[in-house]
Amino acid sequence: VWRASDADCVIFCDACLTGLGFWCPALNAGFMAASLDSNIFRNEALAVLCALAWAADSIPTASKILIFTDSINTVQIFDSLAATPDYNHILMAAVRILLHNKISLRVNHVRGENNIVADALSRGTLPGP
């Protein structure tokens, strides 16, 4: 058991019907990808999985990763590690990453209006410099 303030890495995720994105404020690093899937729930779960995979590869010292998403359903499946069969492959991929890298993961909810950067990344609407 650990508090949010104990996290080694904090990431914000979001997805829409056309893309997904995540942002690590501490490193000022953001990533986005187009999605061909019209299932928003799957896109939200994939955004969390991508953020976890990136953190495991990019920040090898991170043992406590906190990921925020505005999808309560996504928070619930990662909290319980239970989903319908259509999403089990996403959870199993996350568990493999967690076990292999000895990472403790928390996925918490953030209100959409407080997830501005990840939202813009997922939609490909970031303003230029």
Side-chain angles (χ1 to χ4, degrees):
V1 177
W2 51 275
R3 298 180 309 263
S5 60
D6 297 328
D8 301 314
C9 177
V10 177
I11 301 172
F12 290 82
C13 293
D14 196 27
C16 63
L17 293 177
T18 58
L20 34 117
F22 63 90
W23 173 56
C24 178
L27 299 178
N28 198 27
F31 303 89
M32 57 193 223
S35 174
L36 301 176
D37 195 328
S38 61
N39 181 323
I40 187 67
F41 181 40
R42 188 173 2 263
N43 289 346
E44 295 277 5
L46 284 172
V48 170
L49 177 60
C50 290
L52 172 61
W54 171 81
D57 284 343
S58 302
I59 311 168
T61 58
S63 63
K64 296 179 187 90
I65 297 175
L66 174 59
I67 298 178
F68 286 99
T69 178
D70 58 9
S71 167
I72 291 177
N73 291 336
T74 301
V75 171
Q76 290 171 339
I77 68 166
F78 279 92
D79 185 49
S80 67
L81 291 179
T84 61
D86 291 344
Y87 302 97
N88 281 339
H89 65 288
I90 295 171
L91 291 178
M92 292 307 298
V95 168
R96 278 191 292 276
I97 293 167
L98 296 173
L99 291 174
H100 179 74
N101 296 285
K102 297 180 178 141
I103 292 171
S104 178
L105 173 68
R106 283 195 149 171
V107 179
N108 287 357
H109 184 258
V110 63
R111 293 171 48 117
E113 60 267 16
N114 296 330
N115 203 17
I116 297 167
V117 175
D119 180 72
L121 285 165
S122 73
R123 297 175 192 285
T125 58
L126 281 176

